[in-house]
């Protein structure tokens, strides 16, 4: 089968002088793309790597591809992750992963929270679209601020956890300005953090839970920020499987599958939870396009902890996508 690997290669872009240094943090390195392409080739398919920019629709149409393996984050805007699925559907080419609607909703963190909140606990939060009026009345400190439509911890820094009202307004205004978009502010959840891999379609199931623990900070002070991710070997310890109790694991499994179904995720996704003071899992966000770097991506590290190799993980993802569309893998 002839496959296109739809992606955004980090090597092609560099942040401008006025842009944050994590502007292209979501994009994949050439090494990651080569690893994914090599794994898919090992399954017996031919693979071309296609950049998901303005050239993508014509390259996809002209290439006469049978299938698209989608890991493209998109270039700009709130709907950027929806563009590749939309193009694939327009050209009637089957593809992996969630559709355009799910991609759009999940990238908007507050929309995703609203969708899952009927069945899954979420932190109390508020979205600010401009810095004109920042009203934090009724919210308990500490709070955590984050861009509302970014991924890969973009805009989430160590200073994103704000412990008191002093300077909170200024910090939120700065974040709105830096990322040129709305900011979600949530009451900070003080307990342990984890990430959860869910795979499947008709009967999605949790593949595993990985606990993300700080090496140098108390759990109550830990933010899985961009600084922590960039220096993960020194700052973070990963436990896969997690060290949680059976009761906590059962609750996480239920909430993860519930959120996956409510958001309409397909094939695979990775979602993040944090435990509150009563060890109740609280939903943070979901990523239907989790990174697949063979060295450091969370879902890959999680899978390894459960004895699942990189190629096996990709095979399971691709098998889910093929089965959903009645294709042979």
């Amino acid at each position: 089968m002839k496959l296109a690997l739809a992606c955004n290669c980090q090597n092609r872009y560099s942040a401008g002088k006025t842009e944050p240094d994590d502007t292209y943090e979501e994009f994949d390195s050439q090494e990651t793309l080569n690893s994914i392409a090599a794994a898919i080739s090992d399954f017996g398919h031919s693979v071309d790597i296609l950049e998901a920019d303005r050239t993508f629709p014509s390259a996809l149409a002209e290439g006469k591809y049978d299938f698209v393996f989608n890991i493209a984050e998109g270039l700009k805007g709130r709907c950027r992750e929806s563009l590749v699925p939309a193009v694939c559907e327009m050209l009637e080419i089957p593809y992996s992963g969630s559709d355009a609607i799910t991609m759009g909703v999940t990238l908007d963190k507050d929309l995703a929270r609203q969708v899952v909140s009927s069945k899954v606990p979420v932190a109390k939060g508020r979205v600010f679209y401009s810095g004109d009026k920042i009203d934090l009345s009724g919210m308990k400190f500490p709070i955590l601020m984050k861009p509302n439509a970014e991924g890969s911890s973009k805009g989430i820094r160590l200073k994103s956890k704000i412990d008191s009202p002093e300077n909170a307004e200024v910090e939120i205004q700065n974040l709105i300005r830096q990322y040129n978009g709305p900011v979600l502010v949530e009451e900070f959840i003080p307990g342990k953090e984890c990430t959860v891999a869910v795979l499947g379609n008709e009967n999605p199931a949790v593949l595993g839970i990985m606990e993300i623990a700080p090496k140098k900070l108390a759990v109550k002070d830990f933010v899985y920020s961009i600084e922590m991710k960039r220096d993960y070997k020194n700052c973070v310890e990963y436990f896969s499987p997690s060290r949680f109790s059976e009761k906590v694991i059962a609750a996480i499994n239920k909430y993860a599958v519930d959120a996956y179904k409510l958001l309409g995720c397909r094939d695979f996704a990775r979602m993040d939870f944090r435990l509150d003071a009563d060890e109740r899992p609280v939903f943070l966000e979901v990523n239907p396009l989790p990174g697949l770097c063979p060295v450091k991506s969370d879902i890959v590290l999680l899978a390894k902890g459960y004895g699942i190799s990189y190629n096996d993980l990709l095979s399971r993802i691709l098998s889910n996508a093929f089965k959903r569309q009645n294709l042979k893998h």
Side-chain angles (χ1 to χ4, degrees), residues 30-48:
Q30 188 63 56
E31 292 75 17
T32 293
L33 299 176
N34 291 343
S35 296
I36 296 170
I40 295 174
S41 295
D42 286 345
F43 305 147
H45 307 293
S46 64
V47 187
D48 290 337

Side-chain angles (χ1 to χ4, degrees), residues 122-258:
V122 299
K124 184 176 181 179
R126 199 168 295 170
V127 179
F128 298 103
Y129 294 89
S130 74
D132 294 339
K133 185 179 180 182
I134 306 296
D135 180 10
L136 297 170
S137 59
M139 295 195 71
K140 295 180 181 178
F141 283 78
I143 58 174
L144 186 72
M145 61 176 189
K146 60 181 83 169
N148 190 51
E150 299 290 357
S152 300
S153 290
K154 287 172 61 177
I156 302 177
R157 308 276 176 167
L158 294 175
K159 66 178 182 179
S160 294
K161 178 176 172 282
I162 304 173
D163 294 314
S164 63
E166 291 77 24
N167 299 322
E169 183 176 341
V170 172
E171 292 293 346
I172 295 167
Q173 289 170 337
N174 287 340
L175 195 62
I176 291 171
R177 183 170 57 254
Q178 289 167 5
Y179 290 87
N180 194 32
V183 164
L184 171 64
V185 176
E186 296 174 302
E187 292 183 355
F188 185 72
I189 308 300
K192 295 176 180 178
E193 183 158 338
C194 69
T195 194
V196 186
V198 182
L199 273 66
N201 291 298
E202 291 182 5
N203 297 294
V206 170
L207 178 71
I209 301 170
M210 182 171 75
E211 181 185 347
I212 301 167
K215 283 185 176 180
K216 301 176 181 179
L217 295 172
V219 169
K220 66 180 179 61
D221 298 319
F222 175 61
V223 176
Y224 198 28
S225 64
I226 199 80
E227 298 99 332
M228 293 286 180
K229 288 187 175 182
R230 288 174 173 174
D231 193 23
Y232 70 98
K233 289 184 179 180
N234 294 314
C235 296
V236 181
E237 209 165 358
Y238 299 108
F239 296 94
S240 180
S242 72
R243 302 172 296 176
F244 300 151
S245 68
E246 290 184 9
K247 180 180 178 181
V248 169
I249 289 171
I252 291 172
N253 286 345
K254 180 183 184 306
Y255 291 146
V257 171
D258 283 346

Side-chain angles (χ1 to χ4, degrees), residues 244-283:
F244 300 151
S245 68
E246 290 184 9
K247 180 180 178 181
V248 169
I249 289 171
I252 291 172
N253 286 345
K254 180 183 184 306
Y255 291 146
V257 171
D258 283 346
Y260 190 92
K261 290 179 177 178
L262 287 165
L263 289 162
C265 296
R266 302 191 314 201
D267 302 337
F268 75 122
R270 202 204 77 235
M271 56 190 69
D272 303 328
F273 289 84
R274 193 150 177 155
L275 305 185
D276 67 11
D278 298 318
E279 292 206 321
R280 182 184 68 157
V282 177
F283 173 87

Side-chain angles (χ1 to χ4, degrees), residues 53 69-70 155:
D53 55 15
F69 191 85
N70 178 34

